[in-house]
Amino acid sequence: VSILVFVFDVSRGGAEQFAEDLHTLETAVSALRSHSPNAKLFILLHKYDLLNGGSDVWAKGREAEIKKAALPTLSHLYCTSIWDESLY
């Protein structure tokens, strides 16, 4: 694998869904480190715009957990919008 794009749908579910998605990310990162140590990891926080006013709260807690699970493999983390093709 050269590149892995992992997508978190931030509007889906609550804490339980996030924990499940984070576990899946940790498993994927572990496999990347073992089998493709030079791979780049891109994480998309999809539908970030739907968090309304709570995006700052979500960002401080969840993004830190995601980065901790993904480092040092993480190349970039982007927030995306459902409204257009551009990055949020």
Side-chain angles (χ1 to χ4, degrees):
V1 174
S2 296
I3 296 174
L4 175 66
V5 177
F6 193 93
V7 180
F8 278 91
D9 182 346
V10 300
S11 69
R12 184 178 74 136
E16 290 179 20
Q17 185 61 52
F18 176 76
E20 183 181 319
D21 292 345
L22 188 62
H23 176 71
T24 303
L25 172 65
E26 290 169 340
T27 303
V29 168
S30 177
L32 275 180
R33 288 180 187 148
S34 296
H35 303 290
S36 300
N38 297 322
K40 295 186 183 235
L41 173 62
F42 294 85
I43 296 177
L44 303 179
L45 302 179
H46 187 53
K47 299 181 186 176
Y48 201 77
D49 54 317
L50 293 182
L51 292 176
N52 295 324
S55 62
D56 289 337
V57 173
W58 197 96
K60 289 178 183 173
R62 302 286 205 262
E63 282 185 33
E65 290 180 63
I66 291 169
K67 288 178 181 178
K68 182 179 176 185
L71 290 175
T73 308
L74 180 64
S75 295
H76 296 285
L77 186 139
Y78 297 107
C79 299
T80 64
S81 168
I82 65 168
W83 299 109
D84 60 30
E85 300 82 29
S86 67
L87 294 175
Y88 180 63

